[in-house]
Amino acid sequence: MQLYVTLTSPYARIVRVMIIEKNLADRVAVTPVKTRVTDGSYYAINPSGRVPSLVTDGGELFEESALICAYLDALEDPLVLAPASDWAARRREAQARSMLDGLSVWGRELIYRSKAEQSPTIIAHETARAVRMAALFDTIAASGALDGPLDMAQLTLGCALHRRADLFDWRSANPHLAAWVDKFGERDAMRQTQSPE
């Protein structure tokens, strides 16, 4: 199988961490690609141009981190992720994905657009969302709800925030979340997938 990624994408990092946690490194080749380019060769593999995407040995294309992780987890026992019937874990996963999605919109606005093209409205909206979500996850981390077996909420939140204090200072007001992210970042899979930037 081939996993197509950009090495700076937190979405791709989620799947890269899952591959290591699931001991599938010998079955999934990780291939860095260029996105956001005109006529890139990657678009022939995945017309949406999004990463990550997984092409199975049978040629099927999977796109979107949670779907790819669920597919990889189902390949063989033991399962690594919380079961689909764990609604509390799935709610936390959706909240973590909301936070990551907002940070991604924010990052694209600040990193990829010139100052003249940036939207102050989008930046203000995503700043407020990030502050609210960090406070929510600080409370969740303090409750111990993120300390159980690995699940998609942990993967998503860990990859969204690990080594990411560049967009805003979420750490100082959220000590429980900061401690949890630091501990999660000590996992071998997180160390192996650290962004080159």
Side-chain angles (χ1 to χ4, degrees):
M1 291 182 282
Q2 291 278 338
L3 178 72
Y4 295 93
V5 302
T6 57
L7 296 178
T8 57
S9 166
Y11 296 95
R13 188 179 189 194
I14 291 167
V15 179
R16 292 169 56 220
V17 168
M18 179 65 178
I19 289 168
I20 295 166
E21 293 281 351
K22 188 72 177 177
N23 295 314
L24 293 173
D26 60 334
R27 293 180 60 184
V28 183
V30 176
T31 305
V33 295
K34 288 190 184 253
T35 59
R36 301 183 187 280
V37 294
T38 305
D39 298 326
S41 60
Y42 176 58
Y43 302 146
I45 297 164
N46 184 354
S48 80
R50 294 178 61 200
V51 291
S53 63
L54 177 77
V55 177
T56 68
D57 293 336
E60 297 170 306
L61 175 69
F62 285 79
E63 178 182 307
E64 202 276 319
S65 300
L67 177 65
I68 296 170
C69 285
Y71 176 78
L72 293 174
D73 202 21
L75 288 177
E76 59 188 47
D77 289 330
L79 295 179
V80 171
L81 300 175
S85 60
D86 185 342
W87 291 107
R90 293 187 70 188
R91 282 194 315 271
R92 288 189 300 272
E93 173 190 344
Q95 292 167 325
R97 193 167 31 258
S98 288
M99 184 172 196
L100 175 56
D101 290 348
L103 289 173
S104 294
V105 169
W106 192 9
R108 281 193 295 273
E109 196 69 19
L110 293 173
I111 296 167
Y112 294 109
R113 291 178 179 250
S114 70
K115 203 72 155 153
E117 294 178 313
Q118 291 177 5
S119 166
T121 302
I122 290 174
I123 292 169
H125 176 76
E126 296 305 343
T127 299
R129 182 201 322 234
V131 169
R132 290 190 310 268
M133 295 305 292
L136 170 69
F137 276 109
D138 191 62
T139 301
I140 292 171
S143 77
L146 296 173
D147 296 336
L150 184 68
D151 61 27
M152 280 304 299
Q154 294 170 18
L155 277 173
T156 304
L157 187 62
C159 291
L161 295 177
H162 184 245
R163 301 286 188 217
R164 293 299 304 265
D166 54 341
L167 295 178
F168 75 111
D169 176 19
W170 59 269
R171 288 180 165 275
S172 59
N174 301 289
H176 303 290
L177 177 59
W180 181 84
V181 169
D182 289 344
K183 183 177 178 187
F184 191 80
E186 293 172 2
R187 296 176 86 98
D188 185 54
M190 290 294 286
R191 290 176 197 234
Q192 289 186 46
T193 58
Q194 179 62 47
S195 170
E197 285 186 354

